[in-house]
Amino acid sequence: MKKWLISMVVLMLLVGCSSDADDQKGKKNDELKEISVVLDWTPNTNHTGLYVAKEKGFFKDEGLDVEIIMPGEAGADQLVASAKSEFGVGYQESITEARVQDVPIVSIGAVIQHNTSGFASPANKSIQSPKDFEGKTYGGWGAPVEQAVLSSLMSIENADIDQLETVNMGDTDFFTAVKRDIDFAWIYYAWTGVEAELRGEKINMIYLTDYTDKLDYYTPVITTNEKMIKDDPDTVKAFMAAVSKGYEYAIENHEDAANILIKAVPDLDPELVKKSQEWLAPKYQDDAPRWGEQKLEVWKNYTEWMFENDLLDKEIDVEKAFTNEFLPK
């Protein structure tokens, strides 16, 4: 009987301690501010820093409980601009277009310092410069900026864009499309280019930045809206502190960062993620003094280029389109 009483007392103490611990844990979680960040596309290595910040507890360290969500039909920019999501992943080009329409979206950090996109084609198509676009078929998604970029690059080499056929490739992936009905497409090398390497398929890559500095814009970027900046700057600062740590970790530990992304999104091809992460890691910060920093010159150059190519009805105040204010010092 004595032993039984002692056992019961010990058990009650253990249960009590466990309940106190659970209460404290629940209380701690309740103190975290719940927010969301919406991706621009399906998860890939452009987003690794976000997943690292979540897995490593960087968000929690800043008092945040962050949900990473998919854009759906509305799109990331619309969700962020309408405050249905506090933060998002966007592009300098779409933010510029949005601000012409007085949409209050703001870029608060560059995910990658330089534009890594360009026009890719199978090596056997012999497309090595914009001049070679003549007589070929381009597969795109129907955005006005595509024709403007193609025309701009071709004009540099005195090529005739009227000799280029354009088709909408929809959701067809690059590798299927170039075997079916197109000669080249616009890709991000960090994903599709690296996938080509893994497939053993040789491609020619024409980077936009090889032809003009005006197309060396920020893509992608981290976004928020003006209301968030005005009403809750502390949360914006806390979010960017954690995100910066996430990308800095991915720069220094690309293999572990890749594994974190794979764990979070098991449907991704592990080999592609790891190879892509290795390729992209040094390009996140590149020649900038810190991850995420944006230059006024870059915003001005691309805005001027868009206006000159009739992609904007008017020029915007670029100083209101981006800020470095919330990056860690």
Side-chain angles (χ1 to χ4, degrees), residues 285-329:
Q285 181 173 336
D286 207 294
D287 54 0
R290 56 183 169 170
W291 176 86
E293 187 157 322
Q294 301 170 83
K295 295 178 182 177
L296 179 61
E297 177 186 4
V298 173
W299 278 87
K300 280 185 174 179
N301 277 345
Y302 188 61
T303 300
E304 288 171 0
W305 180 88
M306 292 184 80
F307 187 72
E308 290 165 2
N309 285 273
D310 299 322
L311 294 171
L312 303 177
D313 294 330
K314 61 182 179 181
E315 292 192 69
I316 65 167
D317 183 351
V318 293
E319 293 189 48
K320 293 182 178 179
F322 81 99
T323 180
N324 293 316
E325 176 186 356
F326 300 102
L327 294 174
K329 302 298 181 185

Side-chain angles (χ1 to χ4, degrees), residues 24-35 54 57-66 235:
Q24 288 298 318
K25 183 178 179 182
K27 189 174 181 181
K28 186 176 179 181
N29 287 338
D30 287 342
E31 291 171 355
L32 296 177
K33 181 165 187 174
E34 294 184 358
I35 59 172
K54 190 173 180 70
F58 299 154
F59 286 131
K60 283 187 177 180
D61 291 344
E62 296 294 334
L64 302 175
D65 180 8
V66 178
T235 295

Side-chain angles (χ1 to χ4, degrees), residues 78 82 123-124 234 272 277 298:
Q78 291 89 333
S82 61
N124 60 15
D234 289 343
L272 174 56
Q277 196 64 64
V298 173

Side-chain angles (χ1 to χ4, degrees), residues 52-114:
V52 169
K54 190 173 180 70
E55 173 68 19
K56 289 290 183 181
F58 299 154
F59 286 131
K60 283 187 177 180
D61 291 344
E62 296 294 334
L64 302 175
D65 180 8
V66 178
E67 181 183 9
I68 300 173
I69 61 177
M70 301 299 112
E73 292 183 5
D77 286 350
Q78 291 89 333
L79 291 175
V80 173
S82 61
K84 291 180 179 177
S85 182
E86 289 84 358
F87 302 97
V89 179
Y91 313 92
Q92 182 177 337
E93 58 266 48
S94 64
I95 291 173
T96 304
E97 291 170 348
R99 293 200 66 88
V100 168
Q101 305 299 322
D102 298 319
V103 176
I105 192 167
V106 181
S107 173
I108 52 176
V111 173
I112 304 169
Q113 269 300 306
H114 296 284

Side-chain angles (χ1 to χ4, degrees), residues 48-241:
T48 305
L50 298 170
Y51 286 95
V52 169
K54 190 173 180 70
E55 173 68 19
K56 289 290 183 181
F58 299 154
F59 286 131
K60 283 187 177 180
D61 291 344
E62 296 294 334
L64 302 175
D65 180 8
V66 178
E67 181 183 9
I68 300 173
I69 61 177
M70 301 299 112
E73 292 183 5
D77 286 350
Q78 291 89 333
L79 291 175
V80 173
S82 61
K84 291 180 179 177
S85 182
E86 289 84 358
F87 302 97
V89 179
Y91 313 92
Q92 182 177 337
E93 58 266 48
S94 64
I95 291 173
T96 304
E97 291 170 348
R99 293 200 66 88
V100 168
Q101 305 299 322
D102 298 319
V103 176
I105 192 167
V106 181
S107 173
I108 52 176
V111 173
I112 304 169
Q113 269 300 306
H114 296 284
N115 191 347
T116 60
S117 73
F119 296 108
S121 60
N124 60 15
K125 302 281 187 181
S126 299
I127 301 175
Q128 298 181 335
S129 79
K131 177 68 177 175
D132 298 325
F133 293 166
E134 291 183 341
K136 300 296 193 298
T137 299
Y138 167 72
W141 61 90
V145 69
E146 294 175 276
Q147 290 303 307
V149 170
L150 288 163
S151 178
S152 182
L153 296 193
M154 291 179 75
S155 66
I156 291 172
E157 298 202 340
N158 297 316
D160 183 4
I161 193 169
D162 290 334
Q163 294 186 42
L164 170 67
E165 182 181 357
T166 298
V167 300
N168 193 324
M169 58 190 283
D171 294 330
T172 307
D173 74 277
F174 170 79
F175 300 99
T176 300
V178 293
K179 287 181 173 63
R180 192 179 64 188
D181 55 5
I182 72 164
D183 297 305
F184 68 104
W186 196 344
I187 71 165
Y188 284 91
Y189 194 88
W191 197 255
T192 307
V194 170
E195 184 177 357
E197 291 181 21
L198 293 174
R199 286 168 172 252
E201 298 188 22
K202 293 183 178 180
I203 63 171
N204 289 330
M205 188 75 183
I206 297 173
Y207 289 100
L208 274 57
T209 53
D210 287 343
Y211 290 86
T212 172
D213 290 340
K214 289 196 172 185
L215 293 179
D216 191 11
Y217 52 86
Y218 298 118
T219 175
V221 296
I222 305 296
T223 65
T224 191
N225 58 70
E226 290 180 357
K227 187 176 188 301
M228 191 74 185
I229 289 174
K230 180 182 177 182
D231 296 346
D232 198 357
D234 289 343
T235 295
V236 181
K237 185 176 181 180
F239 178 80
M240 287 307 290

